[in-house]
Amino acid sequence: MSIVSYQLIDNIGVIQLNNPPVNALSQALRQGLQQAITAAQNDSSQALVLICEGRTFIAGADISEFGKPPSSPSLGEMLTSIEDSQKPVIAAIHGTALGGGFETALACHYRCAAATAKVGLPEVKLGLLPGAGGTQRTPRLAGVEVALELITSGNPIGALQAEQAGLIDRVVDGDLLEGALAYARELVADAAPLRRVRDITIDTATVPAELFDNYKTKLARRARGQIAPLHIVSCVEAAVELPFEEGLKCERERFMECMQSTQSGAMRHMFFAEREAAKIKGLDRGTATREINSVAVIGGGTMGGGIAMNFANVGIPVKLLEISDEALQRGLGIIEKNYGITVSKGKLSETQKEHCLSLIDGTTNYDDLADVDLVIEAVFENLDIKKQVFSQLDSACKPGAILATNTSYQDVDLIAAATRRPADVIGLHFFSPANVMKLLEVVRGEKTSDEVIATTMKLAKTIRKVPVLSRVCYGFIGNRMLRHYAREAQLCLIEGSTPERIDTVMQNWGMAMGPLAVGDLAGMDIAYNARKALTDEQKGNPKTYCIPDALVEMGRLGQKSGAGYYNYDAKTRARSSDVGVIQLVEEKAAAQGVARREINDEEILNRLIFALINEGAKILEEGIAQRPGDIDVVYAFGYGFPVSRGGPMHYADTVGLQKVYDTLNQFHQQTGEAYWQPAALLEELVSAGKTFKEWAS
Ligand code: 3H9
């Protein structure tokens, strides 16, 4: 079937688009659609219906064309042809009409949609703003406040909500084409006017004073340095104050500025990296997958409970196994409490909560796991305990059941060796809180079968996670890199900085939280206890842990004890600094023979981020991660790395690998520490004048 086809059904011309997988507005599609509209002006049709084949209406401009030379017709030109049509054009929407796709619908004279359809302008999530009239037409139809919310959030809304907002004229039950044809015939019979959204004037009296300023203030806080959200507000403001054509010009200029920004480049990179990460190199696309209809989770602690919730949330029954009734009741209680919080936030109904809870069953007996399709072990981080659990699972579970470990560090191959079925063993590393965080590191052991890898990568999507495949090494992709980042945070602290300064530098740069505030949130006792089990040699340089050790020994475990690197208000949890902590840092520095000095913001930033990049490069050269983009996905979805910087490896490309390499060498010379020696891959890329991206493609 051609990309754009046309047929006359009685007096209605039907233009059908077919550009799988999501009907993106490629040049061929734009051209075909414009030609179809033009041709239809001269036939016997009295109205035109625009409808799409496949799973969705147009999901937006073709993002892969961005950054390439423009090709004619532009989206704007195509939309003008639609709006100029002398016959009413009716968009018939199913699936998701997003970005340029929804802008196309807005340029039509009328819009109908299936009840299940969603519409939205998600450009902000790509560091962009709607560049084909979206900022001008949306407020004209739905009012300024709805437009601001829709465009600055980027979140789509359902057809019914869109109908209430005036963005959709009719919600169609049953067959969409039939419904759209019936609607078109009605419009023809009523001699309905050509309703061109561009001709609507917004009544300024309906726009509250200060609205735009307030919005900008709110967004400046939330968007932390991103340019697109503030530009969106300015464009909507222009829709109110300027004639349509001038508003469009303002939108165009700002769209181009966003498009050329490194922020949007990074966010577009993340869009494709997320999708690429789900693909497994060397694995046949047709690899069989196993059905996962029931799951067991071993360990009802915070992690195990969170993992169980993921499955119950999508209707998969879960058995939660604990060693005693008491532990089990405590675990189930935590899950119930967590669901209660979600209900109180209005994100879940009481009925949905009850349904989820009914899917989670407790047991203390391994025999009850005989029939489950997948088991995820989430017990204490201790190899011997994990091996014991896997040996029990090997005896209890049916052949073909997948046995997964949620370990953050342990060797998946050694755990697999405790069973007689290492091909069925895999790591599924969830991030805390496991019911919230999107990242899932899927850790393939030496012997893990392709079928098990393919099944778990697919399952990740079912439970709405973003999976990234890793090979086995200490800490896998994310935590292995994090150790280097955390090390530099500690060294900057003891060498002269303060928790506030380090956290502020990193947060202003875009990290969701600073590294020391993260320590307080997670609880410093966890790492403290883990360190206790290590030899001095394994622990490494005392400068990297003497401060948190001392804080824990003072009872400052972090937020849960009301104090850690900071003090926390018991009610509001607001943090404040404590001179006692600075004194402690100074004492520890003196004890370690460190002469404290001024460390500037750039040094803090480069030491923390370049440490991540160098370890990331080593992870790539060892084949632990499949591609640089996968590391970026791990950091964006698991560690609060700013999407507008594109993850550590993309960021390295934007900084320039030569600069990264030179800075690493400088750190190496200054400190003499082997870990600052640039990774061999980095050296190779610098001498070849290549980026990580070029190396990967
Ligand atoms: C825009 O419109 C700008 C305009 O305002 C102005 C212009 C002047 N382009 O996500 P999936 C690919 S900006 C190119 O796995 P799902 C995707 O890479 C755009 N490719 O499916 C993947 O490829 P592969 C505003 C695209 O069912 C395949 O399609 N629009 C595009 O889970 C399937 O994707 C957006 O931001 C695209 N626009 O979700 C919407 N979209 O199979 C972006 C998808 O090779 N898209 N692909 O890996 C989405 O949010 C989701 O893809 C969607 C489907 C919800 C549509």
Side-chain angles (χ1 to χ4, degrees), residues 173-221:
D173 289 326
D175 184 78
L176 181 62
L177 179 59
E178 288 302 320
L181 286 170
Y183 185 37
R185 285 185 199 114
E186 267 177 50
L187 291 168
V188 170
D190 295 347
L194 289 169
R195 210 175 44 145
R196 295 189 171 108
V197 179
R198 68 183 180 210
D199 294 338
I200 299 172
T201 308
I202 301 170
D203 179 2
T204 47
T206 63
V207 183
E210 317 288 323
L211 176 71
F212 295 112
D213 285 346
N214 290 344
Y215 231 89
K216 280 185 183 164
T217 313
K218 187 173 95 180
L219 286 174
R221 236 180 295 127

Side-chain angles (χ1 to χ4, degrees), residues 278-291 402 423-424 426 444 448-459 469 626:
K279 293 170 191 153
I280 310 150
K281 280 189 183 171
L283 204 78
D284 191 24
R285 270 198 165 221
T287 303
T289 53
R290 298 181 193 168
E291 290 271 317
I402 296 176
D424 290 336
I426 196 158
R444 66 190 293 179
T448 310
S449 75
D450 287 355
E451 203 174 293
V452 169
I453 298 172
T455 303
T456 47
M457 293 292 281
K458 185 172 155 206
L459 179 70
L469 193 62
Q626 296 193 92

Side-chain angles (χ1 to χ4, degrees), residues 462-478:
T462 309
I463 58 170
R464 304 184 201 118
K465 297 288 177 202
V466 177
V468 175
L469 193 62
S470 173
R471 285 195 183 272
V472 175
C473 66
Y474 188 72
F476 316 127
I477 299 172

Side-chain angles (χ1 to χ4, degrees), residues 21-22 55 59 61-63 100 103 122-123 126 130-131 271-272 275 279:
V22 296
R55 64 196 209 221
D62 187 337
I63 306 169
E103 290 175 298
E123 285 88 342
L126 298 169
F271 177 84
F272 288 115
R275 282 150 184 85
K279 293 170 191 153

